[in-house]
Amino acid sequence: MAFLLLLAAGSAYIVLENHETPHYVTDRGAVFGTTYRITYAASASLQTEIEERLARVDSSLSPFNPASVISAVNRNRPAAADSMFARVFVLAGEVWRQTGGAFDITVAPIVNAWGFGFEKAAAPDSSDIDSLRRLIGFQKVRLAAGGGVVKDDPRIMLDCSAIAKGYGCDEVARLLDEKGVGSYMVEIGGEIVTKGRGPEHAEWNIGISRPEEGVPASDAGLLAALAVTDCAIATSGNYRRFYYKDGRKYAHTIDPRTGRPAENAMLSATVVAPGCAAADAFATAFMVLGPDSAQAVLRSNPKLQALLVYTGDDGKPRIWVSERLKNKVRQIGKT
Ligand code: AMP
Ligand code: MG
């Protein structure tokens, strides 16, 4: 009898072990002009389905894809009704409202004029900026009933680059949920969705790179690591896409209120939220708002947490972490 019990306990142990250390698959590839890496607990790769889902996001939101819904909207051509585009448009409107217009997908003409968009140019003069600023404002656009967007001016264009990567992560996460995958980390160009447990720990370890100018994220070294799960994480920074002209630095986040690259103390903003499209959009907005106004938005939206890196009054880098995120920060490196 004792022998039987032991055997039973032994097999239960094996079952538990197998349950606790499932097989993880990692798929890698390229999308939206960047790379993706998706790690998930499954017995076989789902990469074909993942790429199909990402292709749908691309044909909805990529301004570099001439056949996309957003390209049709920007060229004033009839656009197909598309639920992905509509979802992102509605969420973009919500973040625009909550950030007092700091996040605004109608910045496209100004982003292009500064040379950071889907049309090339560099450093407009102030009269160009003044005339382009009149085209900016999310209140000037609305969803059309049969698909596409109604604009107050045909020169208005949309840029969803600050929300589409996050949305792509949400879509892949939704696909993995539909497939019954319980644990995953979806990463597209640094924006991340996590669920369940990682291969080694109860949570997923997410590294946040040090904001260093011109250094690719992979070489920059870690500023901090977050141990999190069941949430999305997105980071924006002014240290990767920028250029110098006449001794001045121009970074790729545009302040829609001035029509110029945002200039404030913020070096990078990492946002943790239930969904990655929102995390992505708020991270961009925080770069525009700077540390004080970003913290005010965080106070008014309890679903958001953040890790902000900014230059203090003494010129030295500072890290600020939301109260509820503090116990998830595993390591803080040198700024
Ligand atoms: P992200 O890397 O997510 O912060 O997105 C930055 C990109 O979003 C830029 O390269 C622009 O294409 C676009 N963008 C710049 N400023 C804004 C803004 N204020 N609101 C929305 N999108 C923006
Ligand atoms: Mg963003």
Side-chain angles (χ1 to χ4, degrees):
M1 190 64 189
F3 174 70
L4 260 182
L5 258 182
L6 211 68
L7 245 187
S11 56
Y13 177 69
I14 289 165
V15 169
L16 204 74
E17 269 290 275
N18 280 342
H19 177 73
E20 282 190 350
T21 53
H23 178 64
Y24 281 81
V25 177
T26 296
D27 292 329
R28 292 185 172 82
V31 68
F32 314 149
T34 183
T35 56
Y36 72 77
R37 184 167 57 107
I38 301 160
T39 298
Y40 48 101
S43 49
S45 169
L46 296 162
Q47 192 161 19
T48 308
E49 283 108 317
I50 289 169
E51 294 226 327
E52 271 167 23
R53 186 67 64 103
L54 289 173
R56 275 183 55 206
V57 180
D58 187 272
S59 64
S60 176
L61 293 164
S62 171
F64 301 100
N65 175 349
S68 68
V69 174
I70 197 166
S71 292
V73 167
N74 287 344
R75 291 165 195 181
N76 301 305
R77 297 207 189 109
D82 171 51
S83 60
M84 289 187 175
F85 180 84
R87 252 194 235 181
V88 169
F89 187 93
V90 169
L91 180 64
E94 251 160 56
V95 180
W96 173 75
R97 268 182 290 280
Q98 282 190 42
T99 60
F103 179 81
D104 193 330
I105 57 173
T106 67
V107 289
I110 287 211
V111 169
N112 287 340
W114 285 99
F116 292 112
F118 47 90
E119 287 171 3
K120 285 292 157 212
D125 63 28
S126 41
S127 74
D128 296 335
I129 294 170
D130 284 341
S131 57
L132 290 174
R133 266 178 57 197
R134 283 182 223 120
L135 302 175
I136 313 303
F138 192 81
Q139 74 282 5
K140 298 176 180 152
V141 290
R142 61 215 74 89
L143 277 180
V149 168
V150 179
K151 308 173 185 175
D152 286 356
D153 185 308
R155 292 169 298 171
I156 292 173
M157 291 194 281
L158 308 183
D159 177 349
C160 289
S161 310
I163 188 169
K165 280 189 285 169
Y167 181 73
C169 291
D170 287 337
E171 276 298 331
V172 174
R174 230 187 305 279
L175 170 74
L176 294 173
D177 289 341
E178 286 159 21
K179 297 278 174 193
V181 177
S183 292
Y184 53 74
M185 185 185 78
V186 178
E187 186 252 323
I188 303 177
E191 322 299 23
I192 292 167
V193 176
T194 58
K195 188 176 176 183
R197 54 167 298 157
E200 283 145 34
H201 303 286
E203 284 141 335
W204 293 87
N205 246 326
I206 308 297
I208 298 170
S209 47
R210 198 177 300 138
E212 271 186 286
E213 271 191 12
V215 180
S218 47
D219 300 340
L222 277 195
L223 170 73
L226 299 178
V228 288
T229 194
D230 300 329
C231 63
I233 305 113
T235 299
S236 279
N238 68 3
Y239 50 94
R240 262 174 241 150
R241 288 194 62 209
F242 61 88
Y243 60 84
Y244 280 97
K245 191 163 186 259
D246 305 327
R248 274 189 75 164
K249 178 177 171 177
Y250 297 104
H252 71 142
T253 318
I254 302 296
D255 186 336
R257 300 164 296 193
T258 62
R260 293 168 185 279
E263 279 185 290
N264 59 59
M266 200 80 99
L267 298 171
S268 86
T270 298
V271 174
V272 178
C276 203
D280 192 355
F282 277 106
T284 304
F286 289 173
M287 292 307 299
V288 173
L289 289 171
D292 294 340
S293 304
Q295 285 170 35
V297 171
L298 287 160
R299 279 193 295 275
S300 70
N301 188 336
K303 286 187 180 156
L304 302 176
Q305 301 163 68
L307 185 152
L308 309 177
V309 188
Y310 60 96
T311 309
D313 293 338
D314 56 2
K316 296 204 176 115
R318 295 263 180 288
I319 302 178
W320 178 91
V321 185
S322 299
E323 207 47 50
R324 279 185 304 123
L325 199 58
K326 281 187 178 151
N327 64 349
K328 313 230 162 80
V329 179
R330 285 292 171 267
Q331 156 201 344
I332 293 241
K334 253 182 68 214
T335 49

